[in-house]
Amino acid sequence: MKDLFCQLDSRKKQVLIVDDLLDNCLLLATILEAEGYEVDTTDCGYKAIAKIEANPPDLVLLDVMMPNIDGYEVAQWISQNQPSVSIVLVTAYDTLPQLDPRKVKIDGFIRKPIDVDEVLLKVETLLATKQEQAKTKNFTKIIPIYSRTDKRILLKKNEAVDRRSFSRYDY
Protein backbone atom coordinates (compact mmCIF):
# COMPACT_ATOMS: atom_id res chain seq x y z
CA MET A 1 0.00 0.00 0.00
CA LYS A 2 1.34 3.41 -0.84
CA ASP A 3 2.06 5.81 1.96
CA LEU A 4 -0.42 8.48 0.92
CA PHE A 5 0.18 11.24 3.40
CA CYS A 6 3.64 10.69 4.92
CA GLN A 7 6.89 11.81 3.48
CA LEU A 8 10.17 10.28 4.56
CA ASP A 9 12.37 12.44 6.77
CA SER A 10 15.54 12.58 4.70
CA ARG A 11 17.65 14.71 7.03
CA LYS A 12 20.36 13.06 9.11
CA LYS A 13 19.33 12.23 12.65
CA GLN A 14 21.03 14.48 15.19
CA VAL A 15 22.60 13.06 18.34
CA LEU A 16 24.12 15.11 21.16
CA ILE A 17 26.67 13.32 23.35
CA VAL A 18 27.22 14.78 26.81
CA ASP A 19 30.13 13.40 28.84
CA ASP A 20 32.78 15.13 30.91
CA LEU A 21 35.44 12.66 29.65
CA LEU A 22 36.65 13.55 26.16
CA ASP A 23 37.56 9.92 25.37
CA ASN A 24 33.96 8.79 25.97
CA CYS A 25 32.62 11.54 23.72
CA LEU A 26 35.06 10.67 20.95
CA LEU A 27 34.29 6.95 21.15
CA LEU A 28 30.52 7.45 20.93
CA ALA A 29 30.86 10.13 18.24
CA THR A 30 33.08 7.89 16.10
CA ILE A 31 30.63 4.98 16.39
CA LEU A 32 27.58 7.07 15.49
CA GLU A 33 29.19 9.13 12.73
CA ALA A 34 30.30 5.90 11.04
CA GLU A 35 26.60 4.93 10.92
CA GLY A 36 25.60 8.23 9.29
CA TYR A 37 24.31 10.19 12.28
CA GLU A 38 25.04 13.89 12.71
CA VAL A 39 26.84 14.09 16.05
CA ASP A 40 27.67 16.97 18.37
CA THR A 41 29.47 16.65 21.70
CA THR A 42 29.90 18.63 24.87
CA ASP A 43 31.58 18.04 28.21
CA CYS A 44 29.22 19.94 30.50
CA GLY A 45 25.52 19.83 31.39
CA TYR A 46 25.14 23.59 31.12
CA LYS A 47 26.63 23.60 27.61
CA ALA A 48 24.31 20.72 26.71
CA ILE A 49 21.28 22.73 27.78
CA ALA A 50 22.46 25.71 25.70
CA LYS A 51 22.98 23.49 22.64
CA ILE A 52 19.58 21.84 23.07
CA GLU A 53 17.88 25.23 23.37
CA ALA A 54 19.60 26.48 20.22
CA ASN A 55 19.06 23.34 18.11
CA PRO A 56 17.17 20.43 19.71
CA PRO A 57 18.66 17.09 18.63
CA ASP A 58 16.66 13.93 18.06
CA LEU A 59 18.51 12.09 20.83
CA VAL A 60 20.81 12.91 23.75
CA LEU A 61 23.30 10.37 25.10
CA LEU A 62 23.83 11.75 28.59
CA ASP A 63 26.47 10.75 31.13
CA VAL A 64 25.07 10.49 34.64
CA MET A 65 28.13 11.54 36.68
CA MET A 66 29.35 14.99 35.68
CA PRO A 67 30.62 17.95 37.72
CA ASN A 68 28.46 21.01 38.44
CA ILE A 69 25.19 19.67 37.00
CA ASP A 70 24.70 15.92 36.72
CA GLY A 71 22.91 13.93 34.06
CA TYR A 72 19.72 13.61 36.11
CA GLU A 73 19.35 17.38 36.34
CA VAL A 74 19.99 17.81 32.62
CA ALA A 75 17.48 15.02 31.86
CA GLN A 76 14.91 16.76 34.04
CA TRP A 77 15.46 20.04 32.18
CA ILE A 78 15.14 18.30 28.81
CA SER A 79 11.96 16.51 29.89
CA GLN A 80 10.35 19.75 31.00
CA ASN A 81 11.56 22.04 28.20
CA GLN A 82 12.16 19.83 25.15
CA PRO A 83 9.93 16.75 25.64
CA SER A 84 10.34 15.63 22.02
CA VAL A 85 14.06 14.96 22.58
CA SER A 86 14.83 11.34 23.45
CA ILE A 87 17.18 10.76 26.40
CA VAL A 88 19.48 7.81 26.99
CA LEU A 89 21.55 7.85 30.16
CA VAL A 90 25.07 6.48 29.92
CA THR A 91 26.30 5.16 33.25
CA ALA A 92 28.71 2.83 34.99
CA TYR A 93 26.00 1.99 37.53
CA ASP A 94 24.16 -1.33 37.23
CA THR A 95 20.81 0.28 38.03
CA LEU A 96 19.42 3.77 38.01
CA PRO A 97 17.69 5.35 40.97
CA GLN A 98 13.91 5.57 40.83
CA LEU A 99 13.10 8.77 38.94
CA ASP A 100 9.79 10.58 39.14
CA PRO A 101 8.19 9.96 35.71
CA ARG A 102 6.25 13.22 36.03
CA LYS A 103 9.54 15.14 36.09
CA VAL A 104 11.97 13.04 34.08
CA LYS A 105 11.35 11.02 30.92
CA ILE A 106 14.18 8.59 30.22
CA ASP A 107 14.04 6.45 27.08
CA GLY A 108 16.73 4.04 28.19
CA PHE A 109 20.20 3.64 29.56
CA ILE A 110 23.50 2.18 28.43
CA ARG A 111 26.13 0.77 30.77
CA LYS A 112 29.80 1.59 30.65
CA PRO A 113 32.09 0.17 29.38
CA ILE A 114 30.37 0.84 26.08
CA ASP A 115 29.19 -2.11 24.00
CA VAL A 116 29.15 -0.86 20.38
CA ASP A 117 26.31 -3.17 19.32
CA GLU A 118 24.19 -2.12 22.30
CA VAL A 119 24.70 1.57 21.54
CA LEU A 120 23.83 1.18 17.86
CA LEU A 121 20.77 -0.95 18.60
CA LYS A 122 19.46 1.46 21.25
CA VAL A 123 20.00 4.56 19.09
CA GLU A 124 18.56 2.99 15.95
CA THR A 125 15.51 1.65 17.79
CA LEU A 126 14.71 4.91 19.55
CA LEU A 127 15.11 7.04 16.43
CA ALA A 128 13.06 4.64 14.29
CA THR A 129 10.29 4.68 16.90
CA LYS A 130 10.43 8.46 17.04
CA GLN A 131 10.20 8.68 13.24
CA GLU A 132 7.17 6.37 13.17
CA GLN A 133 5.47 8.45 15.86
CA ALA A 134 6.16 11.62 13.88
CA LYS A 135 4.68 10.06 10.74
CA THR A 136 1.42 9.19 12.45
CA LYS A 137 1.18 12.27 14.68
CA ASN A 138 -1.23 14.09 12.36
CA PHE A 139 -3.43 11.08 11.75
CA THR A 140 -6.36 10.80 14.08
CA LYS A 141 -9.08 8.75 12.40
CA ILE A 142 -9.42 5.49 10.59
CA ILE A 143 -12.52 5.58 8.43
CA PRO A 144 -13.93 2.75 6.38
CA ILE A 145 -13.84 2.96 2.62
CA TYR A 146 -17.02 1.57 1.19
CA SER A 147 -15.85 -1.00 -1.29
CA ARG A 148 -15.97 -4.72 -1.84
CA THR A 149 -12.82 -5.28 0.19
CA ASP A 150 -13.71 -2.90 3.03
CA LYS A 151 -10.29 -1.18 2.96
CA ARG A 152 -9.45 1.49 5.50
CA ILE A 153 -7.47 4.70 5.12
CA LEU A 154 -5.82 7.14 7.53
CA LEU A 155 -6.93 10.74 7.23
CA LYS A 156 -5.15 13.86 8.40
CA LYS A 157 -6.74 16.02 11.06
CA ASN A 158 -9.63 18.11 9.75
CA GLU A 159 -9.26 16.80 6.22
CA ALA A 160 -12.47 16.55 4.23
CA VAL A 161 -12.55 13.69 1.74
CA ASP A 162 -15.32 12.79 -0.64
CA ARG A 163 -15.93 9.00 -0.86
CA ARG A 164 -15.78 9.21 -4.65
CA SER A 165 -12.15 10.32 -4.46
CA PHE A 166 -11.02 7.02 -2.92
CA SER A 167 -11.01 5.26 -6.24
CA ARG A 168 -7.94 7.18 -7.38
CA TYR A 169 -5.69 5.71 -4.65
CA ASP A 170 -3.70 2.54 -5.15
CA TYR A 171 -4.04 -0.06 -2.41
Side-chain angles (χ1 to χ4, degrees):
M1 179 175 169
K2 286 188 179 178
D3 195 356
L4 300 176
F5 299 111
C6 299
Q7 294 179 355
L8 292 175
D9 186 6
S10 61
R11 73 175 179 83
K12 283 187 171 184
K13 297 299 180 190
Q14 298 175 341
V15 179
L16 175 63
I17 300 169
V18 185
D19 198 316
D20 58 320
L21 298 175
L22 179 61
D23 289 343
N24 292 342
C25 284
L26 290 175
L27 173 65
L28 288 168
T30 302
I31 292 167
L32 295 174
E33 285 174 344
E35 293 297 316
Y37 296 103
E38 185 177 311
V39 179
D40 193 6
T41 63
T42 187
D43 63 350
C44 168
Y46 292 116
K47 291 178 189 174
I49 289 172
K51 286 184 179 218
I52 294 166
E53 276 186 316
N55 183 25
D58 298 296
L59 173 72
V60 176
L61 294 176
L62 183 60
D63 185 27
V64 173
M65 295 300 297
M66 293 186 295
N68 300 325
I69 179 171
D70 67 21
Y72 298 122
E73 293 172 295
V74 176
Q76 184 174 355
W77 183 90
I78 295 169
S79 297
Q80 293 172 355
N81 297 286
Q82 295 289 339
S84 65
V85 175
S86 298
I87 304 168
V88 175
L89 295 178
V90 182
T91 181
Y93 296 125
D94 287 333
T95 59
L96 296 175
Q98 194 66 14
L99 301 172
D100 184 353
R102 295 172 295 184
K103 293 183 180 179
V104 182
K105 171 196 69 87
I106 302 297
D107 298 295
F109 75 100
I110 297 171
R111 288 190 188 95
K112 292 179 183 178
I114 299 299
D115 177 347
V116 174
D117 293 331
E118 178 187 8
V119 170
L120 292 176
L121 180 63
K122 180 75 71 178
V123 169
E124 183 180 323
T125 303
L126 281 173
L127 293 178
T129 302
K130 184 176 181 172
Q131 185 174 6
E132 284 303 312
Q133 289 172 347
K135 279 183 179 181
T136 59
K137 184 172 96 176
N138 290 330
F139 298 100
T140 56
K141 299 177 187 176
I142 297 178
I143 64 163
I145 296 175
Y146 301 99
S147 69
R148 288 184 221 132
T149 58
D150 192 31
K151 301 258 185 200
R152 299 183 185 277
I153 189 168
L154 290 174
L155 296 180
K156 288 184 179 179
K157 289 180 182 174
N158 304 321
E159 181 178 289
V161 177
D162 182 0
R163 279 193 308 173
R164 293 172 294 191
S165 66
F166 290 127
S167 62
R168 71 174 184 232
Y169 296 116
D170 295 328
Y171 298 106

